[in-house]
Amino acid sequence: MEDLKKKISNVQNPETGKTLGEESRVTKVEYKGESLMITLQRDGITPESKRKLEDAIIEVLKGDEDEDNIFILSESKKSDDIYKAVGKAPKKEASKPAELKVGHGQVGEKKRIPNVGKVIAIGSGKGGVGKSTFTANLAATLSAQGNKVGIIDADIYGPSMPMLLNKRGEKPEASEDKQILPLEAYGMKFISFGNFIHEDEPVVWRGPMLGGVLNQFFFETDWGELDYLLLDLPPGTGDVQLSMVQNLELDGSIIVSTPQDMALLDARKALHMFDKLNVHVIGMIENMSSFVCDDCGKEHFLYGTGGVMSACSELGVGYLGKIPMEMALRKGSDFGTPYMTQNKYEGNPVWKSYQEIASRLDRYFNPSDNKKKSLMGKIFGKKEQ
Ligand code: ADP
């Protein structure tokens, strides 16, 4: 272990030319089962340098460790620093633990969250289709593309964001003016029911009672400036989901489904729910569309193929893309190192899928930008980015 630590500490920070050891950036090196988890303190490092740094660490450890078992986590002491590279204002000082206001929320005019760009709800007809995994990894993809991203984990039945983002057991604090200070992970802000309730506690809140808490997550949380805020809804299409978004103006929704007929049937219900709420469905995602065997490289279509795409054309709703099954995606979720925060997967089928989905989302929200890009491409004979 000491040897490993030494090797990591000798890697150079491309921004300063000093080693990670000299800058005291290596805060934890530990094994969890076969996996080597390395935690770095990343204050003051731009996203670009962070990528280089992570690649350099993998490079020096490759000889000793299986690359697939190396996971790099990052933490920040001065959270305002994360956003320096993209021009974020400093955050308010924490004063005491944040408390939830369980109670009936006021139903009123739908409102926007100040300084927050696109708010997207992510839903599914049923649980277990990969909705939360998708939310965390889409957020990470958008963030790596230079966006300021936040996540609200509104899944009261099984809040998984604390685990997915390696922040189990952390309690959000409140600022002096009683705003909740969101937690931060991998340069993204997030808030989850899971960080307020004990993991083993049964959840007894019902639809209307949640209104107050959600309003707090939406409007009494110091989100700062965000380009995207993703809302991970609980699975299903009942009252809870309906009451969740009654006060918040959404810019659209995404429905995650697997290609199985049963899941698709439920996904249709989710579509009708968003219709009822007057929330435009940007598109559907086919998750676990196929399985690529690690050993033979062959692609297996466990649940058939193209189910979601054909459902989309039948229902007249957009199709955002498909994500294959990959063991590393599941492992990353279990270890709190989302797949799309680990550069070593760049170029893999799942990686490419997320990039494509994020680009489609960007084209959906910025069609004129893309027209401009393509026009410039034609004029200057450049390939489109
Ligand atoms: P949901 O939020 O819909 O209940 P989760 O995101 O918790 O579902 O995913 C359920 C399980 O499936 C998790 O163990 C997750 O790691 C795994 N999973 C999700 N998508 C994939 C995928 N494309 N490949 C492999 N495992 C996946």
Side-chain angles (χ1 to χ4, degrees):
M1 186 62 96
E2 281 313 305
D3 258 16
L4 280 179
K5 264 191 197 158
K6 212 183 253 170
K7 278 189 179 166
I8 303 165
S9 298
N10 283 336
V11 171
Q12 258 190 2
N13 176 352
E15 224 144 86
T16 59
K18 289 190 180 162
T19 66
L20 295 184
E22 284 166 336
E23 294 185 345
S24 313
R25 289 202 180 268
V26 188
T27 51
K28 215 192 276 173
V29 180
E30 59 176 354
Y31 280 100
K32 275 193 186 168
E34 284 182 350
S35 300
L36 177 66
M37 319 288 285
I38 302 159
T39 309
L40 297 182
Q41 206 271 94
R42 62 138 199 270
D43 289 335
I45 299 182
T46 61
E48 183 52 33
S49 299
K50 190 173 149 282
R51 282 167 63 102
K52 286 190 194 152
L53 208 55
E54 288 169 358
D55 289 345
I57 292 173
I58 302 261
E59 200 51 43
V60 298
L61 297 182
K62 241 163 54 180
D64 308 305
E65 298 288 325
D66 178 355
E67 199 182 330
D68 285 346
N69 287 334
I70 307 173
F71 294 90
I72 303 174
L73 294 81
S74 58
E75 60 179 20
S76 165
K77 296 223 162 49
K78 294 184 283 161
S79 52
D80 56 313
D81 222 42
I82 302 173
Y83 292 95
K84 251 187 195 154
V86 278
K88 163 75 177 68
K91 150 181 160 169
K92 293 173 190 166
E93 284 301 310
S95 64
K96 59 178 170 49
E99 280 169 24
L100 292 187
K101 296 178 189 166
V102 182
H104 288 250
Q106 299 273 316
V107 183
E109 285 272 290
K110 282 191 181 232
K111 285 189 289 182
R112 294 201 68 89
I113 307 172
N115 302 320
V116 169
K118 305 298 177 202
V119 183
I120 306 168
I122 301 180
S124 65
K126 61 177 210 154
V129 296
K131 175 181 52 60
S132 300
T133 306
F134 172 75
T135 307
N137 282 289
L138 176 66
T141 313
L142 291 168
S143 169
Q145 292 177 350
N147 295 294
K148 287 167 263 177
V149 183
I151 304 171
I152 294 179
D153 176 7
D155 191 343
I156 36 160
Y157 305 121
S160 45
M161 232 24 96
M163 181 181 91
L164 289 170
L165 299 176
N166 200 38
K167 296 282 175 186
R168 283 165 87 169
E170 290 207 20
K171 297 273 174 257
E173 303 203 306
S175 64
E176 266 169 27
D177 54 358
K178 301 220 167 68
Q179 292 250 311
I180 300 177
L181 298 172
L183 294 170
E184 297 187 355
Y186 301 100
M188 305 180 284
K189 297 189 174 188
F190 81 98
I191 202 98
S192 167
F193 279 100
N195 293 102
F196 289 93
I197 51 177
H198 195 275
E199 281 186 5
D200 304 327
E201 260 173 45
V203 178
V204 289
W205 297 337
R206 291 288 168 263
M209 290 172 73
L210 288 166
V213 180
L214 274 164
N215 277 344
Q216 223 180 332
F217 284 0
F218 298 153
F219 305 113
E220 293 169 39
T221 296
D222 180 21
W223 290 111
E225 230 178 80
L226 292 181
D227 297 306
Y228 286 98
L229 179 63
L230 306 185
L231 177 60
D232 185 7
L233 287 179
T237 52
D239 286 350
V240 176
Q241 290 77 6
L242 289 168
S243 64
M244 279 200 163
V245 285
Q246 62 198 0
N247 287 343
L248 179 66
E249 195 174 311
L250 294 168
D251 295 286
S253 64
I254 296 175
I255 299 171
V256 181
S257 179
T258 60
Q260 285 154 294
D261 287 346
M262 280 308 288
L264 267 171
L265 209 66
D266 287 316
R268 282 163 206 252
K269 287 188 203 152
L271 186 74
H272 294 311
M273 172 186 77
F274 285 123
D275 273 351
K276 236 193 223 171
L277 290 166
N278 282 329
V279 175
H280 179 69
V281 178
I282 302 167
M284 281 171 75
I285 297 288
E286 180 170 291
N287 189 36
M288 311 197 204
S289 65
S290 62
F291 170 71
V292 183
C293 174
D294 280 350
D295 296 328
C296 69
K298 204 172 158 208
E299 195 170 9
H300 302 274
F301 295 90
L302 303 184
Y303 306 120
T305 174
V308 172
M309 193 195 243
S310 51
C312 285
S313 57
E314 183 197 319
L315 297 164
V317 63
Y319 172 71
L320 278 173
K322 58 182 179 175
I323 304 162
M325 277 177 126
E326 195 177 310
M327 175 101 88
L329 191 59
R330 204 267 307 145
K331 265 195 186 172
S333 299
D334 289 353
F335 290 137
T337 50
Y339 185 97
M340 292 305 287
T341 64
Q342 307 292 303
N343 301 326
K344 62 182 175 178
Y345 300 127
E346 204 166 339
N348 282 12
V350 167
W351 182 281
K352 284 191 199 149
S353 294
Y354 273 106
Q355 297 279 6
E356 276 166 25
I357 291 164
S359 307
R360 283 190 191 125
L361 206 57
D362 178 49
R363 277 203 292 277
Y364 171 83
F365 283 120
N366 304 297
S368 56
D369 269 17
N370 287 287
K371 263 191 214 138
K372 258 187 254 158
K373 266 190 217 157
S374 117
L375 184 66
M376 295 301 267
K378 274 185 198 142
I379 294 171
F380 296 108
K382 276 188 200 155
K383 260 171 92 179
E384 263 184 74
Q385 297 281 307

